[in-house]
Amino acid sequence: MYELIQAGENTWYMDCPTKVGLVRTASGHGVLIDGGSDKDAAKKVLRHMEALGLSLDAVYCTHAHADHIGGCRHLQNSTGCKIYVPEDELAYPAQPILEPAMLYGGRPPKVLCNKFLMAPSFEAEALTADVLPEGFRMELVGGHCAAMALLQTPDGVWFAGDAVASEETLQKYPVSYLMDVDGFLAALDKVETLTGTLFVPAHAPASGDITPLAEVNRRNTLELCAMLKGICAAPSTMEDILKAVFDRLGHTLNWIQYVLVGCTLRSYLACLMDKGELVTDVADNRLLWKLPEEA
């Protein structure tokens, strides 16, 4: 944990709960890709930079979920660095409560206002291609969040953020958080077109070929769509659906899963509804999800 691993001549990543990229730029400065999950991760990566003789110039965040930006305030306070996040994600550093509020669907209870879902606030600017150091490349995708930046260093190393989940995670928790199912499938298509020397997802092992993992994620997503349609063969409320999914997976519901899985399942249901594969009905003051009559 927190070990620094070399990925290219001037590219490293810190292996921690959410991987942090470290790059020596052509100008001799140090930049980070993502800010770490918390203050401890930020302290660790700063120590690695000190050992390499690098000062921190900027942090480029793939997206603004708390586990990717939780260390940003400490990095900014300690070094005065600039921090960039995709433009559609700029509200989260300014108002961190938006993340648990969006997941919960209202003012979140205190149990959800923790470091895993709510990072300390910090000043951020829009991440665009023109603010990247020389030799960097960026591709913006959706799906997991409103906008996520896939960033390639001059060494050809791609930092893929949460564009894919690990196979181990999907085996244990098949309902991986998504904001937009169709956007996620499109992001997988984009990922498969990228070429590079190494791919470093935030929560999966680094690999020279990300295509097999992208296919695992695609298959998992489509299987979950089929599961939901099967559940809704009998008209079901959202709570019915949530219980049925957890029962089928053999999991026990807790607060965090209720929020993350519930929010994700609503995204799946919205996607299936927009495609005409599910419809809704209101009966006895309950919103029911069901298959279309012709099905």
Side-chain angles (χ1 to χ4, degrees), residues 46-66:
L46 286 176
R47 290 195 192 108
H48 285 309
M49 296 189 75
E50 182 179 4
L52 291 168
L54 296 174
S55 58
L56 181 58
D57 187 48
V59 181
Y60 303 100
C61 298
T62 57
H63 59 299
H65 285 169

Side-chain angles (χ1 to χ4, degrees), residues 123-144:
E123 293 184 9
E125 300 179 34
L127 175 56
T128 56
D130 62 315
V131 301
L132 290 171
E134 180 183 351
F136 274 66
R137 175 184 170 191
M138 179 176 73
E139 294 284 349
L140 281 177
V141 297
H144 179 73

Side-chain angles (χ1 to χ4, degrees), residues 187-195 210-215 218:
L188 294 176
D189 291 342
K190 169 60 73 174
V191 163
E192 290 180 327
T193 70
L194 303 178
T195 58
I210 202 171
T211 302
L213 186 54
E215 179 53 33
R218 180 182 293 108

Side-chain angles (χ1 to χ4, degrees), residues 271-292:
C271 172
L272 292 169
M273 181 180 182
D274 288 347
K275 291 179 176 179
E277 296 178 30
L278 287 179
V279 296
T280 59
D281 188 22
V282 176
D284 193 25
N285 286 331
R286 298 184 305 154
L287 180 68
L288 300 174
W289 293 88
K290 61 182 185 177
L291 296 176

Side-chain angles (χ1 to χ4, degrees), residues 113-174:
C113 298
N114 55 59
K115 72 173 187 177
F116 301 105
L117 298 179
M118 197 168 107
S121 62
F122 59 91
E123 293 184 9
E125 300 179 34
L127 175 56
T128 56
D130 62 315
V131 301
L132 290 171
E134 180 183 351
F136 274 66
R137 175 184 170 191
M138 179 176 73
E139 294 284 349
L140 281 177
V141 297
H144 179 73
C145 55
M148 183 164 58
L150 311 177
L151 295 166
Q152 187 182 41
T153 77
D155 289 322
V157 179
W158 280 101
F159 285 88
D162 288 340
V164 292
S166 73
E167 192 165 1
E168 180 183 13
T169 296
L170 293 177
Q171 288 174 350
K172 190 174 182 180
Y173 303 109

